[in-house]
Amino acid sequence: MRKTKNITINSYNKTAEEYYKIVSSFELLPELEIFINRVIKDGKILDLGCGPGHHSRVFLENGFTVAGIDLSTEMIAIAKKEVAGVNFQVMDILDLKFEKESFDGIWASASLLHIPKKNLKSVLKKLKNIMVKGGILYISLKKGVGSEILKDNRYGGVDKYYVYYQQEEIAEILKSVGFEIIEKEQKIRRDYYDTNPWIHLFCKK
């Protein structure tokens, strides 16, 4: 567990500036607009695994109060520099430090895919606990089977740890924790960047 966590932290610390440049060049995810329209107006959003804060900025610009957490100190440093007005903190997804019912929405874009599968249910239970009733949870995960440590040639061959899911597999886990799935979709891999197809899910507490 510690090994895979350190791999994730080190890979993002080493590539934070390059990562920020690349993701900033992408078109905004259509899922962002869906999420914004589903979360209560002027609500509180947690950007879980916020990276350099590029999604947090969109939430802030749309009138939300935003907190962003990431385990990479370099990512959080960029986020604080680039996006004023968001409460960015270095924090472990496995050890969230928020009060019960703190958030109207939680945005977990490509973050839970770094969590060992055996820990996912406990993380989801904690996310549910810090959400208000009727709150919206968005998750995106890489589609596949099992988990692996691989060389990410997009970023100079740094090691990355990924956990893969099938759509029905993650849907069943979410339901078992008590989330209502309100929308789910699978998307094919973008040849120019993605390593895998994607699973997108919108859930309600």
Side-chain angles (χ1 to χ4, degrees):
M1 172 63 199
R2 183 173 293 277
K3 179 186 176 185
T4 55
K5 184 183 291 188
N6 287 339
I7 285 170
T8 301
I9 297 168
N10 291 338
S11 69
Y12 284 113
N13 278 340
K14 285 178 185 174
T15 62
E17 289 286 352
E18 186 180 1
Y19 180 89
Y20 180 53
K21 286 176 187 171
I22 290 172
V23 297
S24 297
S25 71
F26 292 163
E27 291 182 6
L28 286 179
L29 292 172
E31 287 77 19
L32 273 165
E33 186 176 358
I34 296 169
F35 181 75
I36 286 167
N37 289 332
R38 287 192 179 276
V39 177
I40 187 169
K41 185 174 168 28
D42 299 329
K44 295 180 180 178
I45 288 175
L46 173 62
D47 189 351
L48 190 80
C50 63
H54 53 303
H55 292 157
S56 292
R57 177 191 285 114
V58 178
F59 301 139
L60 187 69
E61 289 171 348
N62 279 272
F64 294 98
T65 300
V66 188
I69 67 160
D70 204 283
L71 206 46
S72 164
T73 54
E74 295 299 320
M75 288 290 190
I76 290 295
I78 293 171
K80 286 181 174 180
K81 182 176 69 175
E82 295 292 330
V83 188
V86 172
N87 177 21
F88 289 115
Q89 299 180 62
V90 176
M91 191 183 295
D92 192 338
I93 289 174
L94 295 175
D95 189 23
L96 295 172
K97 306 288 190 185
F98 295 107
E99 297 295 321
K100 187 176 180 182
E101 298 183 355
S102 294
F103 298 101
D104 301 290
I106 297 178
W107 175 260
S109 175
S111 54
L112 296 177
L113 49 75
H114 296 300
I115 303 297
K117 205 167 280 194
K118 66 181 181 180
N119 299 112
L120 185 65
K121 264 195 184 182
S122 63
V123 170
L124 290 172
K125 286 176 182 176
K126 180 66 174 177
L127 295 181
K128 190 176 172 214
N129 184 59
I130 63 174
M131 292 172 67
V132 302
K133 184 173 175 56
I136 301 298
L137 169 66
Y138 165 77
I139 297 175
S140 64
L141 297 164
K142 291 178 183 285
K143 184 179 178 182
V145 177
S147 63
E148 66 178 337
I149 296 169
L150 55 77
K151 300 278 183 196
D152 191 344
N153 293 320
R154 300 170 302 176
Y155 296 97
V158 295
D159 285 343
K160 289 273 181 73
Y161 172 68
Y162 289 131
V163 181
Y164 305 114
Y165 289 88
Q166 296 294 309
Q167 184 173 271
E168 289 312 311
E169 176 189 14
I170 183 60
E172 285 304 314
I173 293 170
L174 286 160
K175 288 174 186 173
S176 74
V177 173
F179 281 105
E180 174 194 353
I181 296 171
I182 51 179
E183 191 171 336
K184 57 186 177 181
E185 183 183 18
Q186 299 186 72
K187 287 193 173 179
I188 62 171
R189 184 172 66 90
R190 296 172 296 182
D191 290 339
Y192 62 90
Y193 187 75
D194 293 340
T195 61
N196 293 68
W198 286 94
I199 300 167
H200 301 270
L201 301 107
F202 290 88
C203 312
K204 182 183 285 189
K205 176 177 173 179

